[in-house]
Amino acid sequence: WDGRLQLGPEDHSKACLWAFREWLEAKYGTLAKLNAAWGTELPSLEAVGVPAEEGVPVMAADTTGTPYAFSPALIDYRAFRRHDVWAMVDGLAGAFKAAAGKPCLTAVYRDLEPDFLETRHLDMTGNDLFYPYRRPGWPTAGWERMAMAHRGKMQFQDLDLRSFAGPQEDDEEWRAWVGAALTKDDWIATHRKLTGISLAHGCGYWYYEFWGFFDDPWIIERIGATRKIAQHLAERPSRAFQPDVTVALTGTARQYVRVPHHSVPHGFGTGDLPYEQEMMLETSGVPYVTAYLSDPATLPTLRQSKVCVFPHSVYLTGAERQAIETLKREGRTLVFVYDTGYLSEQGPDLASMGQLIGMSIRTEERFARAVPLAVPGSSLTQGIAPYLGMAELTYCTFRLHGFDTGKACGQPFWIVDPDAVPLARYHGDERVAAAVRSYADWTAIYLAAPASLTNDLFHSIAREAGAFVAGPPGNEVHMSGDFVSLHGLR
């Protein structure tokens, strides 16, 4: 520790160097192509080393340098590191299945990433929601559920619920942080909220017991009652239900962020959906399906949707951009948030980004605080809460009494398109922070501030596009054709 935050860990072992060079050879094919991509003159693959992560001063994370990592070598190393971890776990799963001598299932406890869908031997992935968001009356986030049954895979939710049955910490703040349910009413609300999410989305859930938090007959009885509901759902004929809204992710946004502790994205996993943005989607009253752009089944799903949302997917390949272009028809509404499409194979590419979202935009390569406030003049902003600065809210939350915890704000983007109708302007400079532009056969909506697709704005967009909504914004609703989970917020 030298006063700088490091992403790490970097692995300089011979095995890692060998694997990294092999991965690069598979990606680029020739040394000449690697040198062209990296802007280097390496004499051979054996000259490739492990790129160092750039440290960020803790006390100046919001003012130093640029928000994005532009080093091709570093970005490649991050992608390799993510890919290789999944390959290693998948290999272990394959060895286990081969040795078992009978049909079996394998599961990994890890944040969901697109590499999981490409594994050959892993059947299930599971992890838990971020502890504080389990609490009754809170919206949930930190568990990016994904449509994956068509890939023969399943997602599980880990329930290591803390309760009145186990040992209690004296620290009230700690009890709040782990979402401890210290009364029976709180335990019922927490348990129903979390299992309801899994049941509504065709996911599983498991109970992880430690320290005796389930060691109470009353709790076991409640678990049994929920199991009967799950069994009933599993046995009845299912009714097909396809939401009219698809949220498409790349799953790689964190790979391109230079600052390790960034307010956007600041969540665990890949960060395409920062916590505060995910909370807004979950409490909009709009059912939606989440999918990866790299999944071949995603494009047909997007074409069936009335609204397609692309949040925080900073890097898009040429093929992904072409796929999005094919969606601009049939009266469809496309919603782009923050930096989506800012980086291409050529690096920062504002022109391609503007073409993608259908508006002329500007940016400055620096960290900047920007608070977007909704403005009248559009049916989309009628009756919505004016404050759209969810990332700014998170940025401030992690700065108690002025102390800088290393959370960085985002890069400023704004709209300069005379044919676009403003939906929001930044407080202070009046630059356009959100806008809608109508084309002959599609509608473009761009929200330039990070995590600024608020629940009531999302609801207005869906309703105006003719998409199905389950109810008004403000509560957390999850649903399938057979089951609805409704959690009231307070």
Side-chain angles (χ1 to χ4, degrees):
W1 174 259
D2 62 354
R4 301 173 75 85
L5 294 168
Q6 301 287 344
L7 260 178
E10 300 155 22
D11 184 353
H12 296 272
S13 67
K14 291 182 179 179
C16 181
L17 278 171
W18 173 82
F20 184 38
R21 291 163 183 166
E22 184 182 60
W23 184 88
L24 291 170
E25 187 174 21
K27 177 178 178 178
Y28 292 105
T30 66
L31 181 65
K33 290 182 179 178
L34 171 63
N35 276 324
W38 282 17
T40 54
E41 297 180 355
L42 298 170
S44 67
L45 272 176
E46 285 65 39
V48 171
V50 172
E53 292 283 0
E54 182 180 353
V56 180
V58 173
M59 302 305 289
D62 57 338
T63 58
T64 304
T66 58
Y68 297 101
F70 297 140
S71 164
L74 177 57
I75 291 170
D76 271 342
Y77 177 68
R78 290 178 178 179
F80 151 76
R81 185 170 58 187
R82 188 191 72 239
H83 172 272
D84 230 45
V85 168
W86 281 103
M88 201 180 309
V89 177
D90 192 39
L92 288 171
F96 176 82
K97 285 185 172 182
K102 59 183 178 181
C104 58
L105 297 174
T106 57
V108 59
Y109 184 91
R110 185 169 169 83
D111 289 314
L112 183 62
E113 292 176 321
D115 301 78
F116 168 68
L117 298 183
E118 306 306 320
T119 58
R120 296 174 53 203
H121 308 293
L122 289 170
D123 303 299
M124 303 176 292
T125 182
N127 66 326
D128 55 354
L129 288 154
F130 191 38
Y131 296 125
Y133 304 151
R134 301 173 176 183
R135 294 172 62 82
W138 285 40
T140 52
W143 193 56
E144 289 183 5
R145 63 182 189 277
M146 190 68 56
M148 59 176 70
H150 63 283
R151 301 294 293 268
K153 296 185 182 296
M154 194 171 183
Q155 192 173 8
F156 275 74
Q157 187 182 168
D158 176 87
L159 303 181
D160 62 337
L161 305 182
R162 317 303 167 90
S163 75
F164 50 83
Q168 305 304 319
E169 294 282 346
D170 293 332
D171 188 342
E172 180 183 3
E173 184 182 11
W174 174 261
R175 294 197 301 268
W177 188 82
V178 298
L182 302 182
T183 68
K184 289 184 175 181
D185 285 345
D186 278 359
W187 197 92
I188 288 175
T190 300
H191 184 240
R192 286 182 178 175
K193 175 171 80 163
L194 302 185
T195 55
I197 295 173
S198 283
L199 293 176
H201 296 292
C203 301
Y205 57 90
W206 62 56
Y207 297 94
Y208 175 40
E209 165 67 296
F210 64 104
W211 298 344
F213 285 116
F214 295 101
D215 191 11
D216 184 283
W218 181 89
I219 290 177
I220 299 301
E221 186 179 343
R222 300 282 80 71
I223 290 174
T226 301
R227 182 187 177 278
K228 290 180 180 178
I229 296 172
Q231 190 71 24
H232 175 64
L233 284 171
E235 292 173 352
R236 65 179 290 178
S238 63
R239 299 180 182 91
F241 171 72
Q242 178 68 33
D244 290 328
V245 178
T246 298
V247 177
L249 312 174
T250 59
T252 60
R254 182 171 288 273
Q255 189 171 301
Y256 301 93
V257 176
R258 189 178 66 86
V259 181
H261 287 258
H262 204 294
S263 62
V264 184
H266 79 281
F268 296 138
T270 54
D272 273 19
L273 277 178
Y275 288 164
E276 63 274 45
Q277 182 61 83
E278 193 173 2
M279 285 182 171
M280 291 291 99
L281 299 180
E282 302 281 19
T283 60
S284 64
V286 179
Y288 63 92
V289 63
T290 312
Y292 283 130
L293 276 170
S294 58
D295 188 344
T298 297
L299 189 55
T301 302
L302 288 166
R303 286 175 177 161
Q304 295 170 17
S305 300
K306 295 179 179 178
V307 178
C308 305
V309 182
F310 304 93
H312 301 86
S313 298
V314 60
Y315 179 83
L316 294 175
T317 65
E320 288 167 339
R321 292 170 194 268
Q322 280 297 112
I324 294 172
E325 288 297 324
T326 67
L327 301 172
K328 298 177 178 180
R329 60 191 63 175
E330 299 173 354
R332 201 171 284 115
T333 297
L334 273 59
V335 183
F336 303 92
V337 183
Y338 186 44
D339 55 4
T340 293
Y342 176 55
L343 301 181
S344 70
E345 289 96 333
Q346 287 72 46
D349 194 342
L350 201 62
S352 293
M353 182 182 179
Q355 180 181 348
L356 177 78
I357 67 175
M359 299 180 205
S360 298
I361 54 176
R362 299 287 185 271
T363 190
E364 294 174 354
E365 291 181 0
R366 63 184 181 89
F367 295 104
R369 298 178 65 174
V371 180
L373 300 175
V375 296
S378 169
S379 56
L380 293 175
T381 58
Q382 186 174 353
I384 74 169
Y387 184 75
L388 309 181
M390 294 302 107
E392 171 72 6
L393 188 65
T394 300
Y395 174 81
C396 294
T397 299
F398 284 98
R399 278 173 157 69
L400 301 177
H401 309 295
F403 177 71
D404 185 344
T405 61
K407 295 287 179 183
C409 48
Q411 178 167 314
F413 293 88
W414 66 94
I415 301 152
V416 289
D417 194 320
D419 296 318
V421 177
L423 299 176
R425 294 183 182 274
Y426 289 120
H427 174 68
D429 62 18
E430 294 300 306
R431 288 172 170 171
V432 178
V436 55
R437 181 171 174 179
S438 299
Y439 287 86
D441 204 20
W442 71 288
T443 300
I445 296 176
Y446 175 54
L447 310 169
S452 54
L453 182 55
T454 54
N455 52 4
D456 46 9
L457 178 57
F458 186 34
H459 184 91
S460 294
I461 292 170
R463 287 194 65 131
E464 191 150 306
F468 172 77
V469 298
N475 295 311
E476 183 167 352
V477 182
H478 300 268
M479 65 175 290
S480 64
D482 306 281
F483 182 86
V484 175
S485 171
L486 171 65
H487 187 74
L489 305 187
R490 65 166 184 250

